[in-house]
Amino acid sequence: MTFQLTKEQELLRTMVRKFAETEVEPIAAEIDQTGEFPKENVEKMKKLGLLSIPFPTEWHGAGGDNVSYAIAVEELSRVCGTTGVICSAHTSLCAWPIYHFGTDEQKKKYLVPLLNGEKLGAFGLTEPNAGTDAAGQQTKAVKDGDSWILNGSKIFITNGGMADTFVVMAMTDKSKGTRGISAFIVESSYEGFSIGKKEDKMGIRASATTELIFENCRIPAENLLGVEGKGFKVAMTTLDGGRIGIAAQALGIAQGALDKTVAYLDQRKQFGMKLKKMQALQFEIADMKTRVEAARLLVYSAAWKKETGQPYSVDAAMAKLFASETAMHVTTKAVQLHGGYGYTKDYPVERMMRDAKITEIYEGTSEVQKMVIAGSVLR
Amino acid sequence: MKIIVCVKQVPDTNEVKIDPKTGTLIREGVPSIMNNDDANALEAALKIKDAEPSTHITMVTMGPPQADVMLREGLAMGADEAVLVSDRLVAGSDTWATSNCISAAIKKIGDYDLILAGRQAIDGDTAQVGPQIAEKLGLPQVTYVEDLEIEGDKLTVKRALEDGYEMIEVKLPCLLTAIKELNEPRYMSVPGIFSAYKKDITVWGAADLELSADIVGLDASPTNVYRSFTPEPKGKGKMIDGDTPAELVSGLLSELKAKHLV
C-alpha cells in the first residue's frame, strides 16, 4: 500500500495552485458578488489543459489521471468554489460520458473540441419535478426519420448559459420507466434549444446555473449517446464519477477555509496574545485539519479506484458524503474563528461557507449518498 | 534555431524566514523553485519557439539530483530537453568554478545559436555566471535584456541600465541575460506535466565533462563567502510637521542644526 502522490501529481498541484492563487483568487470575491461567469479564466484553463486532465492524448486529452483531476478541482476550489465546479461539470459530466459511451465518430466530433479547448460542456438531467427522483423525467424525445425531436426543460444546469455541448437525458419510452430514458448530445446552436432562467444562488454564484429549454429541438439520430433506453445508466454512471469531482471541490473549499483561518489566528490578537496561542482554538484547528485529511484520503482513494479500473461507485458516494459535510463543518468553524470579521465580505470565509452548502446537495444529496452506501452494505 | 537556457534551482525567498536570534536563513521546509530571472530566460526561448516551432530548447543546470524537479517544470513549460550536471566534485563552486562547469557542458552540447540565462540568482545575487560563460565560450554577450527581436542571424536587444536603455545589435551565436521585465513566464501546461516525466534528463558528472578539481568545486574557487549576515535595520525616519513650506524648512533646519549637520 502506498499513500504517495506521483511526481506528476505533485507537479500538477504546484502548477494549479500557482494558477489558482495568481488568476482565480484575485477575482473570486468579485464574481461571487456579480454572479458573472469567469470567462477569461475559463479560456486560460482551456489553453492550459485544465479541462482535459483525465483523458488520453489520442483524443486531445492531457494524458493525466483521475487523482490528478481531483487535485486540480481541489486546488481551484481552495480559492474559488465556482471555478472548481466549472471544471468538474465540464470534465466529469460532459466530456466523460462522451468518452465512455460515445462512438468514435461522436468522440471526434464532440470530445476532441471539449478537450482541445474549443468548447465548454454541461450535463442536463435535473428537471423541476425530477431531482433526486431522476427517473421522473418529463423531457421527451420522439423519433422522426433521421432525427429525434426534444421537448421539455431542465433546471439547475451548471455551465448552462455558457456551454456549447450538452449531454441531455430524455424519455424515449415513458411506459418503460427508467428503461425508457435515453441520453443525447445536444449542441447549443440547435434550433429549438434555448437557455431559460439563470438562478440567483446562495453560493458558487458565478457558475452560470440555468434552465435549458427544448421546443421541438431537432437532434440528428447519430447524437444518441449509448443505447436507446440505457440513458438512466449513462446518467447514473456519469454521476458516480461526478461525485469524485464534487467531493474534490468540497475538499478544496474546506482546505481553503482552514488555510485562511490558520493565517487569521496568526495575525489576530485578543487579550494581549495571538489567537493561535489559545488552546481552545488550537483544538478547533486540530479537529478541522483531521477532518480535512480524512476527506482527502476518501477523495483520492475513490479517484484512484476509478483510475485503476476498480468499482468506485460506493467510494465516490462516501467521499462526497464525508467531504461535503467536512466542507460545511470546517467553513462554519472558520467563520466562527474569524468572529465578526468572518461574517463580513472583507474575509473570504463567509463566501466559502455559502459555497460549501451546495456540495451537500448537488450531484446527489447527502441522503442519496447514504442510500448508495447503505445499499452496498445491507444487501 | 537551437537555444540553450541556463537555469538554477534556488530556495523560494518569498518563503524564507530569518532566524531572529542567529540572523541566518531558515531553509528548512522552504520550497525550491526555478530562479525567477532564469524563468524569464526560458520564457524568451519559448516565445521564439512559439513563433518558430522547429526551435529546439535545451536547459542546462548544475546542482544536486533534486534539481530534477525544476528541470521537469521547464519541460512542462515547453522546453525540449534538459541536462543536469551533478557531481560531488563540483559542490561548493563559486561563480568562476560554476561557469567553468556550465561552459564545459555547453561545449559538449556543441550545437547552438543562442544562449539565454537569467541576470542573477536570488540566492547569490552575483550576476556573474552568465557573463563568465560568454567569456569562456568566446561569445558576444548582452546583459540585462528587457526586449529582443530576431532577424535572421541578427538580434536587436534592448538593454536596461539604471538611468536608461541601450539598443544593441548583436550577431548569433551570443549569450543574453534576462531580467524580469523581459516577459511573464508561462504556466506549466497540464499535457506538458504528463509528458515531462516521459522524457529522459541527461545527467553528466565531472568525468563526462573532463572537469578536474583544479577548476571546479570548493577548493578551486577563488572566492569564498566567510560570513553572511542581515544588515541592521535602519531606524525610523522622522517626519517634520508644518503647515507652510517656510515652517517645514525652518523645522528641518533646526533639526539639522541640533545634530550639527549644518
Side-chain angles (χ1 to χ4, degrees), chain A residues 2 15 19-20 63 79 158 187-188 191 203 226 237 242 289-290 334 346 359:
Chain A
T2 172
M15 174 250 166
F19 175 81
V79 301
T158 304
E187 297 180 28
S188 62
E191 211 171 302
T237 318
K289 167 81 176 161
T290 306
D346 293 342
T359 64

Side-chain angles (χ1 to χ4, degrees), chain A residues 247-309:
Chain A
Q249 183 202 19
L251 166 63
I253 294 171
Q255 181 68 57
L258 174 58
D259 291 347
K260 293 297 176 196
T261 307
V262 167
Y264 185 77
L265 297 195
D266 189 30
Q267 163 222 324
R268 173 78 166 165
K269 282 182 189 162
Q270 290 286 273
F271 303 105
M273 64 169 121
K274 285 185 173 179
L275 296 191
K276 73 170 185 182
K277 297 286 181 199
M278 300 174 181
Q279 196 177 46
L281 306 189
Q282 291 171 356
F283 282 10
E284 290 286 8
I285 294 292
D287 178 59
M288 291 157 80
K289 167 81 176 161
T290 306
R291 287 173 192 245
V292 170
E293 283 305 322
R296 178 168 288 117
L297 290 175
L298 280 173
V299 175
Y300 291 1
S301 156
W304 171 78
K305 285 197 173 174
K306 182 166 196 279
E307 183 61 31
T308 49

Side-chain angles (χ1 to χ4, degrees), chain B residues 238-254:
Chain B
K238 185 171 179 180
M239 294 299 289
I240 294 163
D241 290 328
D243 293 330
T244 64
E247 268 181 51
L248 287 167
V249 170
S250 79
L252 177 62
L253 278 174
S254 62

Side-chain angles (χ1 to χ4, degrees), chain B residues 68-86:
Chain B
D68 182 87
V69 180
M70 172 199 60
L71 294 173
R72 302 287 173 190
E73 193 175 329
L75 293 172
M77 287 167 76
D80 298 284
E81 211 183 321
V83 174
L84 167 63
V85 182
S86 195

